[in-house]
Amino acid sequence: MLGHTLWILDASQDFLVQIDLVGDRVVSTVPVPPSAIAAGDGRVLTISPVGLAGSAPPPLTLDRVDPATGTLRLVRDDLDAPPNIAVGLGSAWLAGNDTLVRVDPMTGQILADRSIPGALTAAVACGKLWIQALGPGGASLDQIDPGTGRVIWQTAVPEGTLAPQAAAGACWLLEGDGRIAKLEPGAGIVNRTPPIGMTVQVAGDAFWETTWDGQLRKVDPTSGQPGGPTWQLPKADLPSNPKFADWRLIGLDGDTWLLDATGVVKLGFGSAG
């Protein structure tokens, strides 16, 4: 999401689709190679190719999406860096096995190359830089000083934990065991709920769980208790469907949107907490 615009990489990963949620229209369809996409600082960046087999992957290409023309603008086509990308704090962050690379998103210049143990993914959230690392001892979440690459704070997390997210004036983790954890940057986790549903998502300032019969219902992020409106997912999105995970909720200007393989639907309740 950037402003009122939603960017979607289609299922075939051949096109990047720009949707204006307020105007209810597709703004542009951008052909892309197999890519990873990230948005932040008012920019949308893609990095490619991704998902290629082989022991010696080719150099990566970093492109910037021009939302006005619906085209890709080449930033650099010879990056020797990992393919996982995050954008924010004035930089693009490329993470992979034991490596975190900081790149200027306008010129492609490598600003720093840090060694951090583990299979890494990067995220920028709550105004901070985070690394999720998976190693022999399990998974961890690290808060990183973007200037020095120093680990400020670290904690073990269940595998499958999502990147931190800002909502309702705080920073949160959706953990791999179905819990919601509240984060205090620089201090750590200050609260955890009991395990909740099979899927938990954040839309705007509200938290939603999915039940086994396909209902979306709002939950309190501090207690994990359900309350408020519910929504029955369409039959195609029920757990019996192999593509059950192919949907997500989006909050924008107090509204809640459901995105699935068939389109984007505005739901009849708000996204306030």
Side-chain angles (χ1 to χ4, degrees):
M1 287 287 299
L2 278 181
H4 297 107
T5 302
L6 173 66
W7 294 88
I8 304 172
L9 194 61
D10 80 326
S12 66
Q13 294 193 330
D14 292 330
F15 294 95
L16 184 61
V17 182
Q18 181 185 7
I19 300 175
D20 180 353
L21 292 179
V22 173
D24 191 24
R25 65 189 181 95
V26 174
V27 178
S28 62
T29 302
V30 185
V32 294
S35 302
I37 178 175
D41 293 343
R43 303 184 182 96
V44 178
L45 299 180
T46 69
I47 194 158
S48 62
V50 297
L52 298 184
S55 58
L60 296 174
T61 295
L62 180 66
D63 290 299
R64 186 173 65 254
V65 180
D66 185 338
T69 62
T71 58
L72 296 181
R73 299 291 182 91
L74 177 66
V75 177
R76 183 169 175 172
D77 62 1
D78 61 348
L79 271 175
D80 182 14
N84 300 309
I85 184 170
V87 182
L89 304 175
S91 298
W93 305 89
L94 306 179
N97 290 332
D98 305 316
T99 302
L100 175 65
V101 180
R102 184 178 188 178
V103 177
D104 186 309
M106 300 302 292
T107 67
Q109 178 185 357
I110 293 179
L111 304 176
D113 189 338
R114 310 290 186 187
S115 178
I116 301 174
L120 310 180
T121 56
V124 177
C126 313
K128 309 295 181 183
L129 175 63
W130 308 88
I131 289 294
Q132 291 169 287
L134 182 61
S140 68
L141 175 71
D142 304 354
Q143 183 186 338
I144 304 294
D145 184 317
T148 66
R150 180 178 63 89
V151 176
I152 298 173
W153 168 85
Q154 182 183 73
T155 188
V157 294
E159 289 189 31
T161 296
L162 302 182
Q165 300 182 60
C171 198
W172 307 86
L173 272 182
L174 302 182
E175 296 192 315
D177 59 359
R179 301 173 190 265
I180 301 174
K182 186 176 182 181
L183 273 174
E184 290 286 352
I189 293 173
V190 296
N191 184 70
R192 271 192 176 99
T193 67
I196 304 176
M198 58 180 298
T199 304
V200 179
Q201 293 194 19
V202 181
D205 287 331
F207 292 74
W208 302 86
E209 69 164 332
T210 311
T211 63
W212 285 102
D213 60 356
Q215 283 196 345
L216 295 175
R217 61 186 184 185
K218 190 178 288 189
V219 296
D220 184 311
T222 57
S223 68
Q225 294 299 308
T230 62
W231 175 269
Q232 182 67 48
L233 285 169
K235 185 176 181 179
D237 292 323
L238 294 183
S240 57
N241 187 322
K243 293 187 175 182
F244 174 63
D246 291 351
W247 62 270
R248 65 169 299 177
L249 292 174
I250 300 165
L252 175 66
D253 291 344
D255 294 320
T256 303
W257 301 77
L258 174 67
L259 169 66
D260 67 8
T262 63
V264 183
V265 179
K266 184 177 178 180
L267 304 184
F269 41 75
S271 61

